[in-house]
Amino acid sequence: MGNQLELLEAEALKLTAGERAAFAQLLLASLDEDTEIEEAWAAETERRISDIESGVSQVIPIADALAQVRAALK
């Protein structure tokens, strides 16, 4: 197994930075056994983007959001 891992590592390091990043994401995703959660987050992200683009939701700068939270906590 060690030899296979070393060979794979050597081959992976020949990839471009972008290719290595994509490969790393692929490997990390393969460790996640619960794709249902990933799919739910993807759907939620798409819903939120749609709400923003359609005007249903409005975004505010982070500084304003933090100021509102701080004011609410006082």
Side-chain angles (χ1 to χ4, degrees):
M1 176 81 173
N3 288 337
Q4 285 182 324
L5 184 57
E6 290 170 5
L7 183 61
L8 182 57
E9 178 184 8
E11 290 299 313
L13 290 174
K14 293 178 185 177
L15 300 172
T16 67
E19 290 169 332
R20 287 193 315 271
F23 186 49
Q25 287 179 334
L26 179 73
L27 290 174
L28 289 172
S30 73
L31 296 175
D32 186 11
E33 296 178 13
D34 197 353
T35 57
E36 186 177 316
I37 292 172
E38 296 265 340
E39 290 170 1
W41 271 116
E44 179 64 16
T45 301
E46 290 299 320
R47 184 192 65 76
R48 291 181 186 196
I49 290 170
S50 176
D51 284 353
I52 292 166
E53 290 175 343
S54 68
V56 171
S57 295
Q58 186 177 358
V59 296
I60 61 172
I62 187 67
D64 293 348
L66 291 174
Q68 289 176 15
V69 170
R70 287 185 183 112
L73 293 174
K74 288 184 179 182

